[in-house]
Amino acid sequence: MDNLKEVEGKRIHDKKMGAAARCLMVTGPVIVGAGPSGMATAACLKEKGIPSLILERANCIASLWQHKTYDRLRLHLPKNFCELPLMPFPESFPSYPTKQQFLSYLDDYANHFGLEPVFNTTVVNAEYDHRCRFWRIKTLGLKQEETEYISQWLIVATGENAEEVMPDIEGTENFGGPILHSSSYRCGETFREKSVLVVGCGNSGMEVSLDLCNYNARPTLAVRNAVHVLPQEIIGISTFGLSVSLLKWLPRRLVDQFLLLMSWFLLGDTAQIGLIRPKLGPLELKNLFGKTPVLDVGTIGKIKSGDIKVIRKGIKRLKKDSVEFIDGKDEKFDAIILATGFKSNVVSWLKETDMFSQNNGMPRKPFPNGWKGENGLYAVGFTYRGLLGASIVARKIVEDIEHDWKAEAANFLGLHSCLSATI
């Protein structure tokens, strides 16, 4: 790639990494993560004439969508709220594109902007060099080959869904059936006629339960926390789109009241089927804590019909063919699916404590802040606002980098001299 330059005649010897590593200087930003957030940022940079380098641990773009989503998945929001910057979805796509259609769109997006991530490259350490004022990003390849990339800017695009959250449940090793995270679930074919416990009632847990029903499985949804369930559409209009429009004219509290009223009218009292609502409204809860309401695509109807059972119990331990709940009762299950969500993995490799919390790997400042740190550090894909939030932040990052691009590029030769003197 023409925006890379190897330090001539040099090798970095990192005692922690063991073997000799290549050192490559990058004229533009280094972006960690080739998901939609990273690609959106790279495309916006390219549109401004700024090169970038995308590093991706998987062997493809959008690996979460490619390898860790169920087959029936569709975008939960209309496509106009999910398109990446500078390129809309094809007009032929439905309002809620399928997983396959979205992946096709991402492939076209990468090809259109000429985005060529470096695949099978895992970032193991990223640290700012205060002496020479650049970022050192150390990586390992498939064969454990080591490379260190040097850049003035580091854009963290690994997102809030980098790693599965796996609860520690007593007796897991004793359970006789399969236990899998929802990221490994594809469809209900292998669970036909089986009793399946689905742990977690977010969008994934609700939709996996619905999919199991379609394959004549017997799902039980284990719910511990309060949850807002909203209809996906209200009088033929996207609930999300309607909320966005109303928020332009009304305070969040009133919009929440409207959404809850319409939800009661369309879905009924969800508390009667075991889904108790939080005290805060859905938009207020999202704004304060990033908790996304569930958009119903048919699960509520299956719960009402008895095809999906809801239990409000915590799990105490697993046994050979049953689950013991905290009330002491046992129930038999053939399989367990953990729809327990994902988390950030930033703290495992980024040696920085000011911008990102060490507790959850998320930016300390909530949206719309939190996208910019010190010394050319940025974050995209951490807004709890999906693809729309990623697109908004990608544009902000590029505007900020563009402001300093010419001046920083002029100092690149000085950076090269500093680096050569330190290795």
Side-chain angles (χ1 to χ4, degrees):
M1 295 182 180
D2 55 8
N3 63 323
L4 295 178
K5 179 169 182 169
E6 185 162 6
V7 179
E8 296 90 345
K10 299 289 185 180
R11 286 289 186 269
I12 295 177
H13 296 275
D14 189 324
K15 294 181 180 179
K16 293 182 180 180
M17 297 180 73
R22 288 196 307 162
C23 178
L24 298 175
M25 298 175 65
V26 185
T27 54
V30 167
I31 301 172
V32 183
S37 299
M39 292 198 297
T41 309
C44 290
L45 285 167
K46 194 159 192 177
E47 195 258 344
K48 297 294 184 181
I50 304 173
S52 64
L53 178 71
I54 307 175
L55 304 177
E56 169 56 48
R57 64 180 177 177
N59 62 354
C60 61
I61 63 171
S63 61
L64 177 69
W65 282 85
Q66 299 257 27
H67 302 312
K68 297 186 177 184
T69 52
Y70 40 90
D71 294 342
R72 63 160 286 133
L73 179 63
R74 286 177 174 266
L75 295 180
H76 291 132
L77 304 182
K79 61 183 180 181
N80 57 301
F81 293 108
C82 299
E83 62 190 26
L84 301 186
L86 308 173
M87 182 174 159
F89 280 95
E91 292 185 4
S92 60
F93 278 21
S95 295
Y96 301 93
T98 65
K99 166 185 173 179
Q100 291 73 25
Q101 287 171 328
F102 183 58
L103 288 172
S104 173
Y105 166 75
L106 293 180
D107 283 335
D108 291 343
Y109 192 86
N111 292 332
H112 179 77
F113 292 103
L115 306 181
E116 298 179 347
V118 180
F119 294 121
N120 300 312
T121 301
T122 301
V123 175
V124 294
N125 187 85
E127 192 168 2
Y128 187 70
D129 187 321
H130 288 273
R131 178 183 175 186
C132 294
R133 295 185 299 174
F134 56 77
W135 286 90
R136 294 178 179 268
I137 302 103
K138 298 178 181 179
T139 68
L140 289 178
L142 275 181
K143 299 180 180 179
Q144 298 300 297
E145 64 273 24
E146 302 159 9
T147 304
E148 182 173 59
Y149 296 92
I150 307 298
S151 175
Q152 293 272 358
W153 302 274
L154 174 61
I155 301 174
V156 180
T158 48
E160 61 216 30
N161 299 317
E163 304 286 351
E164 294 91 342
V165 173
M166 297 292 291
D168 184 14
I169 303 175
E170 181 183 345
T172 298
E173 68 282 0
N174 299 325
F175 189 71
I179 302 175
L180 63 150
H181 191 271
S182 58
S183 62
S184 298
Y185 178 90
R186 296 296 172 265
C187 74
E189 179 63 43
T190 59
F191 300 97
R192 284 185 181 275
E193 308 300 332
K194 293 184 178 180
S195 179
V196 184
L197 178 65
V198 180
V199 181
C201 62
N203 278 299
S204 293
M206 298 283 271
E207 199 159 348
V208 165
S209 297
L210 177 62
D211 192 61
L212 287 166
C213 281
N214 294 336
Y215 286 90
N216 296 319
R218 301 184 301 278
T220 295
L221 189 60
V223 180
R224 288 201 307 169
N225 301 320
V227 59
H228 277 302
V229 183
L230 305 177
Q232 188 175 42
E233 293 186 341
I234 297 175
I235 57 175
I237 303 173
S238 155
T239 299
F240 180 82
L242 186 59
S243 301
V244 171
S245 298
L246 291 174
L247 285 171
K248 296 177 181 178
W249 305 99
L250 299 172
R252 188 180 295 115
R253 176 179 56 84
L254 290 182
V255 179
D256 270 339
Q257 290 178 2
F258 169 77
L259 292 177
L260 292 175
L261 177 64
M262 295 305 297
S263 296
W264 181 86
F265 180 74
L266 295 171
L267 302 177
D269 182 4
T270 58
Q272 297 298 315
I273 57 174
L275 302 175
I276 298 173
R277 293 190 181 277
K279 293 181 179 180
L280 290 175
L283 298 183
E284 190 67 23
L285 194 67
K286 177 72 173 177
N287 183 63
L288 292 176
F289 302 105
K291 189 171 182 179
T292 302
V294 173
L295 294 176
D296 180 55
V297 293
T299 308
I300 294 298
K302 291 293 186 180
I303 294 175
K304 289 180 178 180
S305 68
D307 293 305
I308 298 175
K309 179 182 177 182
V310 175
I311 54 174
R312 293 193 57 80
K313 302 176 184 179
I315 297 173
K316 184 176 182 179
R317 66 171 64 90
L318 305 184
K319 298 180 180 180
K320 183 178 180 180
D321 59 357
S322 67
V323 175
E324 181 183 348
F325 295 93
I326 56 175
D327 62 0
K329 295 182 179 180
D330 278 22
E331 291 196 34
K332 290 185 179 296
F333 292 101
D334 300 307
I336 299 173
I337 298 174
L338 302 171
T340 44
F342 296 82
K343 63 183 178 180
S344 164
N345 70 353
V346 172
V347 296
S348 67
W349 56 269
L350 180 63
K351 308 308 175 185
E352 187 276 346
T353 58
D354 293 330
M355 183 177 182
F356 287 89
S357 167
Q358 298 303 291
N359 294 324
N360 61 8
M362 295 293 292
R364 296 182 185 276
K365 297 178 181 178
F367 182 84
N369 303 305
W371 57 273
K372 181 180 179 181
E374 299 294 329
N375 304 313
L377 178 64
Y378 299 91
V380 59
F382 295 87
T383 65
Y384 290 127
R385 282 162 176 78
L387 296 165
L388 179 60
S391 295
I392 293 171
V393 169
R395 292 181 185 275
K396 288 185 176 182
I397 290 173
V398 173
E399 288 175 5
D400 197 70
I401 291 178
E402 183 187 21
H403 182 266
D404 295 328
W405 166 246
K406 291 183 179 179
E408 296 296 343
N411 292 331
F412 192 69
L413 289 177
L415 180 152
H416 180 275
S417 299
C418 179
L419 175 64
S420 298
T422 58
I423 61 177

